[in-house]
Amino acid sequence: MGKNFTNENISWGRQMIKTLKIENLKPGMIVGKDIYSSSFDRLIAKENSVLTTQGINRLIRYYVREISVKFPEEIKNENEDKRWKADLKREVVDEETQTTNQTSAEKMKQSDSFKQFYKTFNESLKVTEKVMDDIAFRAAEINSTLIDTMIDRVVNVSNNGIFIFDMLHCMRELDDLTYAHSMSVALICKVFGEWLHLPKAEVDALKMAGFFHDIGKVKVPREILCKKDKLTQSEYEIVKKHTEFGYDILKNKNIDERVIMAALMHHEKCDGSGYPNHLERDQIDEFAKIVAIADSYEAMTANRCYREALCPFTVIEEFELNALQHYEPKYILPLMEMIAQSYIGNNVVLTNDVVGEVIMLNKHNLARPIVRTAADYIDLSREKSLKIKQVI
């Protein structure tokens, strides 16, 4: 379990096991039974491991509500007592040293999980570029099985939606407006589909819509896509054409109609202010509405040649301001909450440069959670002068 829990099992004398809610856990408590994610596809904590602050935060991020905890009635002998206390002390010191010297992202990047995800993701980009270019420029047919397998290969490294967001958060240095962006949006669409409890066949189709939504950008001159200065009006009009280019590329292909519509409509807004056709809410394809959210979130939280990545909580605030006008409420509202929940347990920097940890959301103001600092608890929904400026 890395540094979140001690790996060594501890032998106990007589003991009792109690079930405790997550808010009652303390560092130093002993896990009573193996803890798995809600889908039972990931072991989060092993029986007999020692809980640390980071370990408890990990449980929170996996939405674990309660666990079994062991309480020894007696330790077998004095030597074992000393060994256990030494183990715990060492674990706490290690954790405090890591917290002081490394950000959450830096620690994540050193993990085997991230290295495997990064490797698999980058391998997929070579295939993504060839697939899209062959379809767009050489009229190749769409090999849905190949694409589905490629996306799932990245997904299978990830285990669950929160993990995917963790991994993508650590990869914001990838400055690619087409291929990496398309793969990222495909992954986010899969997560969104599952969070919305869509049937598997629908999730698979939505994932494909995310993958192909920006295929039209391969026909936009790269010097315009990668321009660091503000686009001229004529350049912006060319960029906007990518939705129609994408539609023209896909319209005669053997693929789900909703994938084609997502390529055309993912920049439409429910109030009619989008493009290319200024469609309103009831005229926009349902998949296109979901892809629009995934596309906006990924684009705003990733580095671009013309700006640095925005803080996820800045993006959530932007969503909150425009949610009902631009996006479908039945999609954007639950997705905003799930996105915000995925950052519980992360360290953040406030606008006064104080570092803290996101510990609880404010349901009616998701961009302003409760943050625990070294000195205090700050409810950002009340402290209007402060905001989260960076997730670290």
Side-chain angles (χ1 to χ4, degrees), residues 260-272:
I260 302 171
M261 290 299 103
L264 178 65
M265 299 181 181
H266 66 277
H267 281 288
E268 301 285 2
K269 305 296 183 187
C270 288
D271 62 359

Side-chain angles (χ1 to χ4, degrees), residues 197-316:
H197 305 293
L198 299 181
K200 184 182 182 304
E202 299 287 284
V203 173
D204 288 343
L206 180 60
K207 178 177 63 180
M208 198 70 72
F211 181 80
F212 279 118
H213 80 286
D214 260 356
I215 190 172
K217 281 187 176 175
V218 302
K219 292 199 171 183
V220 176
R222 186 166 180 80
E223 59 270 22
I224 295 179
L225 281 180
C226 296
K227 184 178 178 181
K228 293 184 179 181
D229 299 325
K230 184 178 179 179
L231 296 178
T232 64
Q233 186 59 39
S234 61
E235 289 170 335
Y236 180 52
E237 292 301 322
I238 292 173
V239 171
K240 287 165 63 176
K241 284 286 184 182
H242 81 274
T243 57
E244 296 170 85
F245 295 156
Y247 174 77
D248 289 338
I249 291 168
L250 297 175
K251 65 182 178 182
N252 294 320
K253 302 298 182 183
N254 183 24
I255 196 168
D256 193 305
E257 180 71 16
R258 294 170 296 184
V259 176
I260 302 171
M261 290 299 103
L264 178 65
M265 299 181 181
H266 66 277
H267 281 288
E268 301 285 2
K269 305 296 183 187
C270 288
D271 62 359
S273 64
Y275 65 86
N277 296 312
H278 304 290
L279 303 179
E280 296 186 354
R281 190 180 311 276
D282 294 340
Q283 299 171 299
I284 304 171
D285 179 83
E286 295 300 299
F287 271 23
K289 292 176 181 178
I290 301 174
V291 170
I293 299 168
D295 174 51
S296 296
Y297 177 81
E298 202 288 327
M300 287 190 282
T301 58
N303 282 334
R304 290 292 179 258
C305 53
Y306 48 87
R307 60 143 177 82
E308 291 188 356
L310 300 180
C311 170
F313 285 93
T314 301
V315 176
I316 292 169

Side-chain angles (χ1 to χ4, degrees), residues 2-36:
K3 292 287 186 178
N4 285 332
F5 304 87
T6 55
N7 289 321
E8 182 179 5
N9 284 351
I10 295 173
S11 300
W12 298 96
R14 289 185 295 126
Q15 57 193 274
M16 57 182 176
I17 296 180
K18 291 184 179 180
T19 299
L20 294 184
K21 292 183 178 179
I22 198 75
E23 58 266 27
N24 294 326
L25 298 179
K26 304 290 183 185
M29 289 182 172
I30 309 303
V31 177
K33 296 179 181 178
D34 286 349
I35 303 170
Y36 288 86

Side-chain angles (χ1 to χ4, degrees), residues 42 104-122 154 157-159 163-174:
R42 186 173 182 82
S104 299
E106 287 170 342
K107 286 184 282 186
M108 181 74 75
K109 286 180 179 180
Q110 292 176 7
S111 70
D112 291 339
S113 297
F114 175 77
K115 291 174 183 176
Q116 182 60 42
F117 182 90
Y118 189 86
K119 177 176 180 289
T120 307
F121 186 97
N122 278 282
V154 181
V157 179
S158 311
N159 293 310
F163 186 96
I164 288 175
F165 272 80
D166 281 345
M167 296 297 102
L168 293 179
H169 173 62
C170 292
M171 293 173 59
R172 294 315 181 193
E173 72 276 6
L174 287 177

